[in-house]
Amino acid sequence: SCLSAPYKSLCEDPNPETRRRMAAGFHEVCVILGDKAYGHLKDCFLALIQDPEFEVQDAIFANLTVILQTFNAGLSEDKQPLQDCVIPICTYETAIKGCWRKVYSFLEHFEYFPNIFPTDVLYDKFIPILFRHLTQSTIEVKDRCAWLIMSFTRKLNNNQQQVEIFNRVLSDFGRSKSYWHRQTFVACCLRCLEHFSRKFFREKMIETTLELCK
């Protein structure tokens, strides 16, 4: 705790390169502190992920999963405290959406989100991002988004939300006139089989899948 003030001072240093270096090694400090990391580093983390310099944000978000895992270990089952970083995460994604390689790498961190954020946050904030990339991005990003959409949907407690997601997959991709959208639907089918039972797949997606074979 005696190092908290100097550490925070460095994270807020006027020199962007100093802040970038702090951001690049932030996850290592989290690991050292273990379940005490959240209490000591939350304010520094929120400052760095909202830093005005994009290079600083790049550095901190590169190790987002390690940071969130460590923070989560020091919290109770209440996931509310970590919701402070939802808007900065979405803002960063908007900033990088034009670079598919950055998006592809950033989406790796989404795999851990169901362990961190409530299901309503997954549905309201992150699934719309995934659908946007499922429509507009490269094949590599689309495939990752298809996996994540099925993973998130499997975690949802609200059956109506699940229905709405599958209806959108069917209408926007499975029944689309676009060849590329129908190809994306096939990717969604394959990912669905990884997260749901074959019986579920037959009930929800097989009819539209067979229509593509005609």
Side-chain angles (χ1 to χ4, degrees):
S1 58
C2 62
L3 296 177
S4 294
Y7 188 83
K8 183 177 181 181
S9 177
L10 288 169
C11 290
E12 298 174 352
D13 192 272
N15 188 331
E17 178 59 18
T18 299
R19 301 197 306 275
R20 188 197 67 77
R21 288 175 180 270
M22 297 303 293
F26 189 87
H27 64 293
E28 296 177 357
V29 179
C30 287
V31 172
I32 292 171
L33 291 176
D35 59 9
K36 298 178 181 178
Y38 179 79
H40 290 295
L41 299 179
K42 175 193 174 185
D43 291 342
C44 295
F45 174 65
L46 292 176
L48 291 170
I49 63 176
Q50 298 175 86
D51 194 277
E53 295 294 330
F54 196 64
E55 291 77 9
V56 176
Q57 292 188 35
D58 274 346
I60 190 80
F61 278 119
N63 298 289
L64 181 63
T65 298
V66 175
I67 295 168
L68 292 180
Q69 284 177 331
T70 312
F71 278 1
N72 195 40
L75 296 173
S76 64
E77 293 185 3
D78 179 15
K79 300 178 181 179
Q80 298 299 319
L82 290 173
Q83 290 194 58
D84 290 343
C85 63
V86 171
I87 292 178
I89 288 172
C90 294
T91 302
Y92 178 75
E93 183 279 328
T94 299
I96 65 170
K97 66 181 181 182
C99 179
W100 75 264
R101 288 182 175 84
K102 279 192 173 183
V103 171
Y104 185 79
S105 295
F106 188 54
L107 289 175
E108 290 182 0
H109 303 300
F110 279 49
E111 294 183 21
Y112 190 67
F113 285 3
N115 300 320
I116 292 291
F117 301 113
T119 55
D120 283 346
V121 172
L122 299 180
Y123 181 80
D124 293 332
K125 298 297 183 181
F126 297 126
I127 286 180
I129 290 174
L130 299 175
F131 267 113
R132 171 160 47 79
H133 287 296
L134 199 63
T135 303
Q136 301 173 354
S137 199
T138 63
I139 292 175
E140 294 84 355
V141 173
K142 287 179 178 180
D143 185 58
R144 175 155 287 177
C145 287
W147 190 95
L148 288 167
I149 286 172
M150 294 302 159
S151 174
F152 285 13
T153 304
R154 186 73 176 85
K155 302 288 186 179
L156 295 178
N157 299 320
N158 187 319
N159 289 336
Q160 183 59 37
Q161 291 176 344
Q162 287 188 335
V163 170
E164 290 174 3
I165 290 171
F166 273 99
N167 285 345
R168 183 171 180 183
V169 170
L170 293 171
S171 62
D172 291 3
F173 301 95
R175 302 189 185 105
S176 173
K177 294 181 180 180
S178 165
Y179 164 79
W180 296 109
H181 283 184
R182 295 196 301 273
Q183 187 179 56
T184 300
F185 175 74
V186 174
C188 290
C189 289
L190 294 174
R191 298 309 186 181
C192 176
L193 286 168
E194 293 183 30
H195 293 282
F196 295 89
S197 67
R198 292 185 178 183
K199 178 182 179 182
F200 182 92
F201 176 80
R202 289 195 299 269
E203 292 175 351
K204 298 293 183 182
M205 305 184 81
I206 193 65
E207 182 178 346
T208 303
T209 304
L210 292 175
E211 289 176 2
L212 296 180
C213 300
K214 293 181 180 179

